[in-house]
């Protein structure tokens, strides 16, 4: 009888541990409530929140492996671990970006870049919106969104002629012909064309020269993407320079795409608190300080996952952000940040392997 009771006791199921993904989702959903009151969270929004966790978890692991593989002389002291992430700010930012509908697991939507905040000695997360993300934002918040957007690079052997709108020409248009598909020459520029099928008089053509493209090239552009020289490493140590071919054509094309979607005017009547928060983050990055566009761009160069190359999310294109002050009066007041609190039953630490190639160390992750 005693043996049966002991066996039953041993077979009892312990209190289930909440998963890291669910813990993260709970923290972000609390910020939804803190900023917007009691609101209904759709299944799609919950999935997006979990995708932010998955993407950042992958990014942290990849960068920690690279950090440990770097010679100790050049290695960053701060480990790429969840315990070193500014979770308060991350949860607030994920509320805004997921509400817009940007999915970090989809190509060219949005890229998550951890960078060292020297004041807090934590990792803040930079959110770099890709051209597909800009397209989603333009469709959701744009005023007179075009039915189609055409983007093309123009090479020296192509023929191109723009037809601008004037008193004799009601519809802006162009002629473009690829003379030789397999010998197009060098890139000399490109263009984007906003198409309105039922209102062609609103069609808009923007021609960009190579100078226009290159002045949008990030100051700290990565050679893996734009081409050029980079540090050569052998055995974890610097060993001179090497020339990288990169993906210059693709980077030029994505620069024009960014310009095409950034040029769509935002409709003030559609602006909500989430878009204002995104605009504030963009304005903060462009205005300087510890979270500059250049710093985040440099982190992309150092930390981007080179195995799964994403042309769009490789670098930041310095495009002027909208001034939040000009639209602040049109949206509800955003509440101040509130501390993230997790119920007692879900405060248990979750052990997460840190992918240390040299051992079986585990790290603690607390939300």
């Amino acid at each position: 009888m005693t043996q049966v009771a002991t066996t039953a006791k041993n077979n009892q199921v312990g209190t289930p541990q909440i998963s890291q993904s669910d813990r993260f989702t709970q923290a972000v959903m609390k910020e939804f409530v803190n900023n917007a009151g009691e609101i209904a969270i759709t299944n799609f929004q919950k999935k997006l929140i979990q995708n932010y966790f998955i993407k950042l978890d992958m990014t942290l692991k990849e960068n920690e492996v690279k950090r440990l593989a770097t010679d100790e002389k050049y290695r960053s002291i701060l480990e790429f671990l969840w315990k070193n992430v500014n979770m308060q700010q991350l949860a607030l930012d994920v509320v805004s970006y997921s509400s817009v509908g940007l999915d970090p697991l989809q190509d060219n939507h949005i890229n998550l870049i951890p960078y060292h905040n020297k004041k807090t000695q934590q990792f803040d997360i930079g959110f770099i919106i890709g051209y597909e993300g800009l397209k989603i934002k333009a469709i959701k918040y744009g005023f007179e969104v075009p039915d189609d957007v055409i983007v093309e690079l123009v090479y020296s052997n192509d023929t191109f002629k723009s037809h601008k709108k004037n008193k004799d020409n009601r519809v802006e248009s162009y002629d473009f012909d690829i003379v030789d598909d397999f010998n197009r020459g060098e890139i000399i520029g490109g263009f984007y064309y906003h198409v309105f099928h039922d209102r062609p008089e609103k069609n808009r053509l923007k021609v960009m020269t190579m100078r226009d493209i290159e002045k949008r090239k990030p100051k700290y552009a990565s050679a893996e993407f734009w081409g050029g020289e980079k540090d050569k490493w052998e055995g974890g140590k610097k060993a001179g320079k090497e020339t990288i071919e990169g993906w210059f054509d693709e980077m030029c094309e994505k620069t024009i795409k960014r310009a095409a979607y950034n040029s769509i005017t935002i409709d003030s009547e559609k602006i909500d608190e989430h878009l204002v928060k995104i605009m504030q983050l963009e304005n903060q990055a462009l205005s300087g300080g510890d979270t500059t566009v250049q710093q985040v761009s440099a982190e992309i160069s150092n930390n981007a996952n080179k195995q799964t190359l994403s042309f769009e999310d490789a670098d930041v294109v310095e495009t002027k952000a909208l001034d939040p002050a000009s639209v602040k009066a049109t949206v509800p007041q955003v509440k101040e940040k509130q501390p993230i609190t997790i119920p007692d039953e879900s405060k248990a630490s979750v052990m997460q392997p840190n992918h240390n190639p040299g051992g079986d160390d585990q790290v603690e992750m607390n939300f």
Side-chain angles (χ1 to χ4, degrees):
M1 185 75 164
T2 302
Q3 184 176 2
V4 173
T6 301
T7 302
K9 182 178 180 180
N10 291 338
N11 288 337
Q12 287 179 354
V13 178
T15 303
Q17 293 282 329
I18 186 171
S19 71
Q20 299 168 359
S21 177
D22 288 339
R23 195 183 302 271
F24 178 83
T25 303
Q26 283 185 9
V28 176
M29 288 176 65
K30 284 181 181 295
E31 292 303 326
F32 269 101
V33 175
N34 286 341
N35 284 277
E38 293 296 333
I39 58 175
I41 305 297
T42 67
N43 290 331
F44 175 67
Q45 286 175 315
K46 289 181 181 179
K47 182 179 184 300
L48 283 183
I49 293 169
Q50 291 176 339
N51 286 354
Y52 277 88
F53 170 82
I54 294 169
K55 181 63 176 182
L56 185 55
D57 190 54
M58 292 166 55
T59 301
L60 291 173
K61 289 175 181 176
E62 290 163 1
N63 286 297
E64 179 61 10
V65 169
K66 293 174 185 177
R67 189 190 72 86
L68 293 172
T70 303
D71 186 270
E72 192 171 353
K73 180 180 178 181
Y74 305 101
R75 184 185 302 165
S76 171
I77 297 176
L78 191 64
E79 300 170 301
F80 287 90
L81 304 176
W82 277 103
K83 67 179 182 180
N84 293 329
V85 174
N86 183 346
M87 288 301 302
Q88 174 75 50
Q89 187 61 50
L90 175 62
L92 285 167
D93 294 344
V94 168
V95 167
S96 297
Y97 287 101
S98 63
S99 296
V100 173
L102 304 181
D103 186 348
L105 295 185
Q106 297 296 323
D107 290 341
N108 305 315
H109 271 219
I110 189 168
N111 202 20
L112 280 56
I113 308 298
Y115 62 100
H116 185 187
N117 186 324
K118 294 180 181 179
K119 291 182 179 179
T120 64
Q121 292 302 313
Q122 287 185 303
F123 283 115
D124 288 334
I125 307 301
F127 293 78
I128 311 302
I129 301 179
Y131 63 82
E132 288 293 341
L134 291 175
K135 179 180 178 179
I136 291 171
K137 187 175 76 170
I139 291 173
K140 183 171 183 177
Y141 296 104
F143 178 76
E144 292 191 330
V145 179
D147 299 310
D148 194 11
V149 176
I150 298 172
V151 173
E152 292 282 357
L153 293 176
V154 179
Y155 294 77
S156 56
N157 292 338
D158 300 336
T159 60
F160 175 81
K161 174 60 180 173
S162 64
H163 302 289
K164 299 297 289 183
K165 190 175 183 178
N166 56 45
K167 64 182 181 63
D168 299 318
N169 181 34
R170 181 170 171 268
V171 178
E172 197 162 85
S173 64
Y174 63 91
D175 294 320
F176 177 55
D177 186 32
I178 300 175
V179 178
D180 187 342
D181 291 273
F182 301 102
N183 182 26
R184 298 184 64 184
E186 300 294 325
I187 299 176
I188 58 175
F191 65 91
Y192 67 79
Y193 189 52
H194 289 174
V195 182
F196 295 84
H197 296 310
D198 297 329
R199 297 168 296 166
E201 68 279 0
K202 291 184 176 292
N203 290 1
R204 184 190 175 207
L205 174 68
K206 174 64 176 178
V207 178
M208 299 177 68
T209 65
M210 275 307 302
R211 181 175 176 276
D212 295 326
I213 295 173
E214 288 175 344
K215 72 181 180 182
R216 289 169 170 79
K217 180 180 177 181
K219 183 177 179 180
Y220 300 100
S222 172
E224 278 86 351
F225 299 97
W226 285 89
E229 284 191 341
K230 62 166 287 187
D231 291 331
K232 184 178 181 181
W233 295 78
E234 292 180 357
K237 298 180 180 180
K238 289 184 179 180
K241 298 283 187 178
E242 61 179 331
T243 301
I244 305 295
E245 181 180 359
W247 303 86
F248 185 74
D249 293 24
E250 287 81 0
M251 298 308 293
C252 289
E253 182 178 5
K254 70 96 176 181
T255 299
I256 300 175
K257 286 182 177 180
R258 293 186 68 89
Y261 292 114
N262 264 327
S263 67
I264 297 174
T265 303
I266 298 297
D267 187 346
S268 296
E269 292 185 358
K270 297 179 182 178
I271 295 175
D272 56 25
E273 68 272 19
H274 303 302
L275 182 60
V276 167
K277 177 64 183 300
I278 291 173
M279 291 161 64
Q280 289 172 338
L281 292 172
E282 291 173 345
N283 192 62
Q284 179 185 17
L286 287 166
S287 62
D290 290 333
T291 55
T292 63
V293 171
Q294 290 80 9
Q295 286 174 317
V296 177
S297 179
E299 288 296 329
I300 297 174
S301 173
N302 295 330
N303 303 324
N305 179 11
K306 305 302 192 305
Q307 300 303 314
T308 55
L309 184 65
S310 175
F311 301 130
E312 165 50 38
D313 293 329
D315 295 283
V316 182
V317 175
E318 297 181 34
T319 307
K320 184 177 180 182
L322 291 171
D323 182 4
S326 65
V327 296
K328 190 174 182 180
T330 67
V331 298
Q333 181 71 27
V334 181
K335 296 181 180 179
E336 287 185 33
K337 295 187 294 184
Q338 301 294 328
I340 298 176
T341 56
I342 305 296
D344 292 340
E345 63 269 21
S346 61
K347 284 186 177 178
S349 298
V350 180
M351 303 306 290
Q352 169 78 10
N354 71 355
H355 281 222
N356 184 343
D360 297 325
D361 295 340
Q362 292 179 314
V363 298
E364 186 177 30
M365 184 178 77
N366 295 300
F367 290 151

